[in-house]
Amino acid sequence: MKVIISITPRALFASATLALAAALTGCGSDPEPADPTPVVERYVEMVHDTYEDTVFGVTTLKGTVDDLTATPSEASLKAARDAWIAARPSYGESESYRFYGGPIDDEDGPEGRINAWPLDEAFIDYVEGAPEVGIINQLQSFPDITKDILISQNEKGGEKNIATGYHAVEFLLWGQDQSTTGPGARPYTDYVTDGTGTAENQDRRAQYLTLVTDILLEDLISVEVQWEPGADNYAASFAKDPKDALGKMLKGMGSLSGAELSRERMNNALQEQDQEEEHSCFSDNTHADLVANATAVQNVYLGRYGGEDGPGIDDLVAATNPDLDAQVKADLDAVLGAIDAIPQPFDQAIVSEDGRAKIQAAIDALQKVTDDIVLVAAELEVTINLEE
């Protein structure tokens, strides 16, 4: 259900600078909204930098996957797993750039191929008690494994029929998570093709892993180039209308903190008490994913990414309502503190009394931030549509 929050503009955005707004306040006049142009320009820079980092991370991952499939060993499997974990934070911090029909999730956007979940493992490969299932093991239905086939099969027949993306790679590296204390434990011998390997179709498994990593990299590159500075691309059109862009920025933040992070990624797992509902269930990386997503919301508000600060939405809010700005900053910090307090691994937190209480506290903190974002939109005289 979409909840449309309509905020009637009280005045047109002025082209005043932050300093002028402060001066107006000092003279006893009602402060006018500052020019959002520098904030939007900083946002475009941040988006490009973030996606550039995601491309770098998955490029590194691709190299380790190529090594694993060429020379399977404990060391090459560990290197690929480490590279997957290292590649996740930048993508997690990019997810506040979604939800407004940008290059990642417009009608033709690749988001559903990049990070879709939860994933039915049996759609891809063997699971406990069923060695013959999955695209990898169904030779009659899928005599060849190609990029086109994997893309065409993604979400075919059901939203959990995920064939591509980070979590497909994750499953092929870790396998099912059957442990209460750690992640999945797929053996490297699942990729050994000299007759001593485990499971069946080791060559097809290696082919699948290679191709699905290639698809992931290509999809991320396709998004990154749309935010390349100075090009005739989405970024150029995005920045032409700063007020509209500001609305999209706030929608991305609010949709991530509200419907996506607090509900889909946390509350569903909390209510179901099922590790299949957690975000990165095979690697037990869910806690880090949650931190990255919360950081994504904070980054946009502050105009900050990768340790570098610039003009942010906070500057616009502080110019007209310093108390609201302080409230939002405190609530964003509280979210990160609440998520940090959740015991690890997440799949055990959802079934323990203490863990469940702390997850609920983080959900409540996220909902407060979502409410704050609605107040910010009203303060800055923009209209946002959040999904509930």
Side-chain angles (χ1 to χ4, degrees):
M1 177 181 72
K2 288 195 177 218
V3 175
I4 300 182
I5 304 161
S6 296
I7 301 154
T8 304
R10 298 189 301 273
L12 295 175
F13 266 75
S15 60
T17 63
L18 293 173
L20 178 56
L24 287 171
T25 304
C27 293
S29 303
D30 291 334
E32 296 183 21
D35 181 8
T37 300
V39 176
V40 172
E41 290 174 347
R42 171 58 183 158
Y43 177 84
V44 170
E45 179 182 49
M46 287 168 51
V47 176
H48 177 258
D49 288 350
T50 311
Y51 282 125
E52 190 173 51
D53 286 345
T54 69
V55 169
F56 176 82
V58 175
T59 300
T60 302
L61 172 63
K62 172 177 164 50
T64 62
V65 163
D66 290 346
D67 289 343
L68 168 63
T69 56
T71 55
S73 68
E74 290 281 7
S76 60
L77 177 58
K78 182 180 185 304
R81 288 173 172 172
D82 289 347
W84 187 91
I85 289 173
R88 284 295 287 172
S90 58
Y91 185 76
E93 291 188 38
S94 80
E95 291 200 90
S96 54
Y97 312 145
R98 292 178 48 203
F99 309 107
Y100 52 75
I104 186 71
D105 55 7
D106 62 14
E107 288 185 2
D108 300 316
E111 196 280 329
R113 292 196 302 269
I114 290 174
N115 197 44
W117 68 283
L119 180 154
D120 179 2
E121 305 97 319
F123 190 66
I124 294 176
D125 198 5
Y126 75 89
V127 294
E128 186 177 26
E132 76 290 349
V133 299
I135 293 170
I136 288 169
N137 301 300
Q138 296 174 354
L139 278 69
Q140 289 188 338
S141 299
F142 302 98
D144 298 310
I145 297 177
T146 67
K147 288 181 183 179
D148 288 343
I149 286 174
L150 297 184
I151 290 170
S152 69
Q153 290 300 306
N154 193 54
E155 296 185 328
K156 185 174 182 179
E159 63 180 11
K160 292 187 178 182
N161 290 346
I162 306 303
T164 66
Y166 280 102
H167 299 295
V169 176
E170 180 193 10
F171 171 55
L172 289 169
L173 293 178
W174 274 273
Q176 285 180 289
D177 181 7
Q178 307 286 6
S179 172
T180 59
T181 58
R186 182 189 291 276
Y188 78 87
T189 47
D190 275 6
Y191 293 96
V192 171
T193 59
D194 65 1
T196 64
T198 48
E200 299 290 334
N201 302 307
Q202 299 94 343
D203 56 338
R204 286 169 59 88
R205 187 168 297 108
Q207 185 179 22
Y208 194 120
L209 177 58
T210 299
L211 292 176
V212 79
T213 306
D214 289 345
I215 293 167
L216 177 59
L217 180 57
E218 291 163 7
D219 281 339
L220 289 169
I221 290 172
S222 75
V223 176
E224 187 264 334
V225 298
Q226 287 299 314
W227 291 95
E228 186 80 38
D232 183 15
N233 55 11
Y234 180 83
S237 62
F238 180 88
K240 285 181 179 178
D241 186 342
K243 184 174 179 179
D244 179 71
L246 188 60
K248 290 175 179 175
M249 293 162 62
L250 289 165
K251 180 175 182 178
M253 294 167 61
S255 296
L256 177 58
S257 65
E260 185 68 21
L261 184 52
S262 69
R263 188 183 73 190
E264 296 292 335
R265 302 192 183 188
M266 298 181 71
N267 193 57
N268 282 1
L270 182 66
Q271 298 306 317
E272 297 294 329
Q273 297 188 52
D274 182 358
Q275 71 172 11
E276 294 290 318
E277 292 293 327
E278 69 164 316
H279 199 207
S280 294
C281 64
F282 313 116
S283 62
D284 276 350
N285 195 60
T286 298
H287 188 271
D289 286 345
L290 300 178
V291 170
N293 284 164
T295 301
V297 179
Q298 187 179 58
N299 283 349
V300 176
Y301 188 72
L302 298 178
R304 182 184 68 192
Y305 176 71
E308 295 184 5
D309 288 309
I313 295 173
D314 62 326
D315 294 313
L316 302 178
V317 178
T320 60
N321 192 335
D323 290 341
L324 177 59
D325 175 54
Q327 173 183 312
V328 176
K329 287 175 177 174
D331 289 344
L332 287 166
D333 285 339
V335 164
L336 284 164
I339 291 175
D340 189 57
I342 297 171
Q344 301 182 51
F346 188 82
D347 59 12
Q348 297 308 299
I350 59 177
V351 296
S352 73
E353 183 177 354
D354 178 62
R356 289 175 59 78
K358 288 178 177 175
I359 293 170
Q360 185 61 58
I363 291 170
D364 294 343
L366 282 162
Q367 290 172 342
K368 191 169 190 310
V369 163
T370 306
D371 292 342
D372 287 345
I373 292 167
V374 173
L375 295 176
V376 167
E379 183 67 32
L380 300 182
E381 303 176 356
V382 297
T383 299
I384 58 173
N385 304 323
L386 300 184
E387 294 186 3
E388 290 276 337

